[in-house]
Amino acid sequence: MKLVRKDIEKDNAGQVTLVPEEPEDMWHTYNLVQVGDSLRASTIRKVQTESATGSVGSSRVRTTLTLCVEAIDFDSQACQLRVKGTNIQENEYVKMGAYHTIELEPNRQFTLAKKQWDSVVLERIEQACDPAWSADVAAVVMQEGLAHICLVTPSMTLTRAKVEVTIPRKRRGNCAQHDRALERFYEQVVQAMQRHVHFEVVKCILVASPGFVREQFCDYMFQQAVKTDNKVLLENRSKFLQVHASSGHKYSLKEALCDPTVASRLSDTKAAGEVKALDDFYKMLQHEPDRAFYGLKQVEKANEALAIDTLLISDELFRHQDVAMRSRYVRLVDSVKENAGTVRIFSSLHVSGEQLSQLTGVAAILRFPVPELSDQEDDSSSEEDE
């Protein structure tokens, strides 16, 4: 993402002009745009024209519109963002108050104006415009006959390809059919990986599977690379890391990212940091429940006691339609930072973010036990039972 201009006043009102350069920038934009904002961008509009003879025709023209945002639609697989709203600035093709949907396009700038730019949104702009934040991990999560090729960026986990091949069972004295199908499966996975993984960008390629599938796949891949003189695979051999996962489904990626060898290799990536923070929370919840809280009310009370060491919060909560509720989450984040706590904003498109959303989307690891809050929780639950 490229920041062209930033005009924000002391009262935090103002506008920024940005240019999305990569598909992931659309995800950042989706988290920036909120209902009630003003969005100015180039778009295509179908207009009707009437000739001197009275015949009516229609043509598509490119024009620049300013909309008051009413609805936002994001397609996570295609990384496309559509913003619907009413026109609020005079235009020769579109009447004031007329509805229009702008599809934001890569490499076309847009200007976003808000009455209130909060700290969470401004921090996201900084992250999006920092070139160090790019797709740094690729993963092949597989089992016999099923594989997912994923890209793990700082903001989301993208499934780039799914490979499914029926593998016949081994028969006594005849394994030929099984072996041929397995080779065909491995070949399709290698082709999909080469199509979707940018080897010059990624720091690490995880190959995760149950049993010995990952070893057999890597052996096959590098044997074929030697035979075909595939320099890309051979030069990047050191980036491949084999780890255990319970299945070939996408959710098993979390297990792979939790592996200590992976964590040390990816210590500087945001995705690994999120997974570790969530893992620490679950361990604390199991061994010291007085130091692990989730749910907005409980976390807010812990914050009042200055007890929060690490706040875990889903970016989904900052897209809340209720402005007062959204402000409440922003105040919580600001307060934790002021009290020297660590804030980890989880992407709802990451596996770890999906898990956090199941825990209300907000959780905290505390510096010291706060048993009275746990007691209050137990009292309130017993009152509800009565």
Side-chain angles (χ1 to χ4, degrees), residues 118-120 329-339 343:
D118 60 53
S119 60
V120 172
Y329 290 121
V330 172
R331 283 197 303 273
L332 176 63
V333 167
D334 290 343
S335 178
V336 170
K337 286 181 179 176
E338 283 168 15
N339 296 322
V343 176

Side-chain angles (χ1 to χ4, degrees), residues 141-148 162-165 185 189 248-249:
V141 191
M142 64 195 309
Q143 63 191 48
E144 279 198 1
L146 174 68
H148 286 83
K162 181 181 179 182
V163 179
E164 277 187 291
V165 172
F185 168 60
V189 175
H249 295 279

